């Protein structure tokens, strides 16, 4: 009886909690995005861009948005650090993949890093939000151009959305996060992770 009531209380009053992994090659703007997310969605002002250094470990950002708790994990994108990414795959509800849309010379690198992550079995069915970042820079490609380049349909069948943003001024970020939260609320992936955590609680 208690567990039934507790279950009902949890269902009615607790906010869903989602882990979101921010990936992308070095200098794409992941940490700048994370700090902007803190500024937009929490009471804390995120670090300004000139105080952000290349990531070696893990940066975490906890915010509340659209009636959900979001925990963002931001990892380093340098080649030698990308092997760490997969340690976080299993527990991630979704992926945000950040691309420097103005740096055409590195699109191939970004595409292969993304393809490699999406092929990993631990990321199965995870919704994918791609941010075409640095739209404030002249020469940045549009979301459509980036979609064509990445050839997403060939990559995967999972829910995905490509959105133009600027992590500097915040343009486009809210639309992307809103899409992501809605997808996570109803995704097969979240259901699977929920069942896993229920099993772990019972055992
Ligand atoms: N113009 C412009 N520059 C940006 C934007 N976002 C990030 N940058 C710059 O791009 C560079 C890299 O940003 P970071 O946020 O450190 O990139 P990162 O993806 O976290 O890089 P790693 O930690 O090495 O993986 C910095 O000089 C940022 O100031 C943006 O929206 N517009
Ligand atoms: Mg970083």
């Amino acid at each position: 009886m208690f567990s039934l009531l507790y279950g009902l209380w949890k269902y009615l009053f607790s906010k869903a909690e989602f882990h979101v992994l921010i990936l992308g090659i070095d200098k794409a703007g992941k940490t700048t995005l994370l700090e902007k997310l803190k500024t937009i969605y929490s009471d804390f002002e995120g670090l300004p861009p000139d105080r952000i250094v290349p990531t070696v470990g893990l940066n975490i950002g906890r915010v509340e948005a659209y009636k959900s708790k979001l925990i963002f994990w931001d990892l380093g994108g340098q080649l030698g650090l990308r092997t760490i990414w997969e340690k976080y795959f299993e527990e991630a509800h979704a992926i945000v993949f950040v691309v420097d849309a103005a740096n055409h010379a590195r699109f191939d690198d970004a595409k292969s890093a993304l393809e490699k992550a999406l092929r990993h079995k631990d990321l199965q069915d995870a919704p994918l939000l791609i941010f075409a970042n640095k739209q404030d820079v002249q020469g940045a490609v549009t979301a459509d151009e980036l979609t064509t380049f990445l050839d997403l349909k060939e990559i995967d069948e999972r829910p995905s959305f490509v959105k133009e943003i600027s992590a500097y001024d915040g343009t486009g970020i809210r639309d992307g996060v809103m899409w992501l939260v809605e997808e996570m609320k109803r995704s097969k992936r979240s259901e699977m992770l929920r069942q896993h955590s229920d099993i772990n609680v019972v055992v």
Side-chain angles (χ1 to χ4, degrees):
M1 185 64 184
F2 171 77
S3 64
L4 260 181
L5 286 175
Y6 178 65
L8 183 66
W9 177 84
K10 236 176 105 179
Y11 176 76
L12 290 175
F13 297 112
S14 64
K15 285 187 178 137
E17 186 173 287
F18 298 114
H19 300 146
V20 180
L21 195 49
I22 304 178
L23 301 176
I25 63 172
D26 52 293
K27 302 191 182 72
K30 300 178 293 300
T31 309
T32 310
L33 167 69
L34 180 77
E35 294 304 322
K36 199 63 171 179
L37 287 166
K38 292 181 195 169
T39 304
I40 295 174
Y41 293 112
S42 78
D43 297 333
F44 300 99
E45 190 71 21
L47 286 175
D50 60 359
R51 301 229 357 242
I52 293 170
V53 294
T55 308
V56 177
L58 166 73
N59 299 311
I60 298 179
R62 291 169 204 276
V63 304
E64 292 201 6
Y66 316 112
K67 298 192 178 123
S68 302
K69 291 181 186 172
L70 306 179
I71 299 164
F72 289 97
W73 292 327
D74 160 41
L75 293 163
Q78 293 172 53
L79 193 55
L81 299 173
R82 292 180 211 165
T83 48
I84 301 167
W85 292 2
E86 64 182 44
K87 296 195 189 327
Y88 295 85
F89 286 174
E90 211 177 350
E91 288 181 57
H93 290 83
I95 319 148
V96 174
F97 193 85
V98 183
V99 180
D100 179 345
N103 193 346
H104 304 220
R106 299 203 66 199
F107 284 175
D108 276 329
D109 193 9
K111 179 176 162 72
S112 57
L114 175 59
E115 283 176 331
K116 188 169 178 213
L118 295 183
R119 270 197 305 268
H120 201 290
K121 65 173 179 24
D122 289 350
L123 273 184
Q124 207 179 352
D125 298 325
L128 169 67
L129 171 62
I130 297 178
F131 275 152
N133 190 29
K134 308 199 188 181
Q135 291 296 322
D136 57 291
V137 177
Q138 211 177 10
V141 295
T142 62
D144 282 348
E145 286 165 337
L146 189 61
T147 306
T148 305
F149 179 80
L150 293 174
D151 207 4
L152 268 185
K153 281 187 206 70
E154 295 300 316
I155 299 175
D156 221 42
E157 296 279 305
R158 76 188 68 224
S160 63
F161 178 40
V162 186
K163 178 73 192 161
E164 292 141 1
I165 67 155
S166 166
Y168 262 16
D169 62 27
T171 305
I173 293 176
R174 284 183 181 82
D175 286 347
V177 174
M178 218 184 292
W179 174 87
L180 194 66
V181 171
E182 286 313 311
E183 284 300 324
M184 289 192 294
K185 280 180 181 167
R186 59 169 182 235
S187 78
K188 256 200 289 191
R189 169 92 182 172
S190 297
E191 186 50 37
M192 188 268 288
L193 290 176
R194 215 171 1 249
Q195 281 171 10
H196 270 212
S197 69
D198 287 349
I199 290 166
N200 288 338
V201 168
V202 170
V203 168

